[in-house]
């Protein structure tokens, strides 16, 4: 396995994992559940009104972190516990393995979170019965998207793209939290449970603050000062978790 082929190998491995598809499908079912109540009356709603239900009232939010970790978060555990990691690092080197494992894990979580968001958006756009106007989006008037003045730009396409991007960052972050846990405690069950527990604890402890993780996936809480705050905050957390995971893997694999 050449160094340049490790990422390619990881993504081929990811697409063959049932966890990747299970995370997407289970997450999508949970987030779309609120739509079932008013889907028969969708002709009276705009796309953004339809979208507000899944994002604000779905059963997805309490479990969001799990869906980001499930696809590839335990990959380091699998490599380490199977002994396969020795074969990989002999060919790629420890440093190459560590940073590329961080990158592939982060992207896997981001892909699932963004795919769930995009699928939800597309279903709402396809099912809408009327266009969005200043009146139909008035419920968003105090949020960060309204402050940017982008809600109705390109019929909402710019906002939808930014929503998918914030979901991607959310997925990257929690996938890396899972990776960091697996580096500290290389057990697949702990890798899945610990990020969920941490997410729940932070949800309770941080309460009505802009840095509460439950607001990061959808990114539209009135508590969030701006999109740039959301971007910088999540990127800093991603770099922190990624850096700690990288250092931890280097230390574990060179002892």
């Amino acid at each position: 396995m050449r160094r340049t082929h490790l990422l390619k190998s990881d993504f081929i491995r990811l697409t063959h994992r049932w966890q990747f598809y299970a995370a997407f499908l289970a997450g999508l079912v949970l987030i779309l559940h609120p739509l079932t109540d008013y889907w028969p009356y969708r002709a009276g709603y705009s796309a953004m009104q339809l979208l507000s239900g899944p994002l604000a009232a779905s059963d997805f939010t309490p479990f969001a972190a799990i869906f980001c970790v499930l696809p590839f978060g335990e990959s380091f555990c699998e490599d380490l516990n199977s002994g396969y990691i020795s074969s990989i690092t002999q060919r790629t080197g420890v440093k190459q393995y560590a940073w590329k494992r961080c990158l592939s894990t982060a992207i896997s979580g981001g892909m699932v979170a963004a795919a769930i968001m995009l699928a939800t958006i597309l279903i709402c756009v396809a099912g809408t019965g009327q266009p969005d106007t200043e009146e139909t989006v008035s419920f968003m008037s105090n949020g960060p998207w309204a402050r940017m003045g982008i809600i109705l730009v390109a019929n909402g396409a710019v906002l939808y793209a930014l929503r998918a991007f914030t979901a991607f960052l959310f997925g990257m972050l929690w996938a890396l939290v899972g990776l960091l846990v697996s580096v500290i405690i290389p057990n697949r069950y702990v890798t899945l449970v610990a990020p969920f527990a941490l997410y729940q604890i932070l949800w309770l402890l941080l309460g009505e603050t802009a840095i509460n993780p439950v607001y990061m996936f959808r990114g539209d809480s009135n508590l969030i000062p701006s999109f740039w705050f959301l971007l910088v905050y999540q990127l800093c957390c991603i770099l922190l978790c990624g850096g700690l995971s990288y250092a931890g893997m280097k230390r574990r694999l060179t002892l």
Side-chain angles (χ1 to χ4, degrees):
M1 185 185 300
R2 297 178 183 176
R3 296 185 179 190
T4 55
H5 290 177
L6 181 57
L7 279 178
K8 179 180 178 181
S9 175
D10 277 350
F11 286 113
I12 292 173
R13 179 179 168 187
L14 176 65
T15 58
H16 285 81
R17 288 170 62 89
W18 65 266
Q19 293 96 327
F20 178 72
Y21 301 100
F24 170 70
L25 291 174
L28 189 60
V29 168
L30 284 180
I31 201 170
L32 289 176
H33 183 259
L35 274 181
T36 59
D37 294 333
Y38 48 90
W39 189 253
Y41 315 105
R42 63 189 182 278
Y45 294 92
S46 71
M48 292 192 191
Q49 287 175 324
L50 286 177
L51 186 60
S52 66
L55 294 185
S58 74
D59 296 326
F60 173 82
T61 300
F63 303 98
I66 289 181
F67 300 118
C68 305
V69 178
L70 185 60
F72 213 52
E74 71 215 53
S75 57
F76 177 72
C77 288
E78 293 178 353
D79 291 346
L80 186 67
N81 295 334
S82 68
Y84 182 56
I85 199 166
S86 298
S87 176
I88 300 175
T89 54
Q90 284 175 7
R91 293 171 172 82
T92 66
V94 170
K95 291 182 180 179
Q96 284 284 323
Y97 172 85
W99 83 261
K100 287 185 177 178
R101 175 60 73 243
C102 287
L103 183 59
S104 58
T105 300
I107 292 175
S108 70
M111 286 171 61
V112 167
I116 291 171
M117 177 64 83
L118 280 172
T120 304
I121 289 170
L122 290 174
I123 289 170
C124 291
V125 169
T128 186
Q130 58 177 298
D132 273 296
T133 64
E134 293 287 349
E135 182 179 354
T136 64
V137 300
S138 60
F139 67 95
M140 302 172 66
S141 61
N142 294 323
W145 307 119
R147 296 185 205 115
M148 292 177 70
I150 62 166
I151 294 179
L152 295 177
V153 174
N155 294 320
V158 173
L159 175 57
Y160 296 144
L162 288 178
R163 280 193 183 279
F165 181 61
T166 58
F168 185 80
L169 293 178
F170 176 90
M172 290 182 72
L173 172 56
W174 285 96
L176 286 171
V177 171
L179 178 61
L180 179 57
V181 170
S182 74
V183 171
I184 299 170
I185 307 174
N187 179 286
R188 65 188 309 174
Y189 302 108
V190 175
T191 298
L192 292 174
V193 173
F196 170 70
L198 177 62
Y199 180 78
Q200 294 291 323
I201 291 169
L202 290 175
W203 185 359
L204 294 173
L205 290 180
L206 296 176
E208 297 295 312
T209 64
I211 59 173
N212 193 317
V214 299
Y215 302 136
M216 298 295 110
F217 176 75
R218 69 188 207 215
D220 60 0
S221 170
N222 295 346
L223 297 168
I224 298 173
S226 69
F227 167 73
W228 302 111
F229 171 86
L230 183 67
L231 177 65
V232 172
Y233 174 68
Q234 291 210 95
L235 285 176
C236 288
C237 292
I238 287 168
L239 291 173
L240 176 62
C241 291
L244 291 174
S245 297
Y246 173 80
M249 280 187 280
K250 276 186 61 182
R251 177 179 172 79
R252 182 177 284 276
L253 296 176
T254 53
L255 287 177

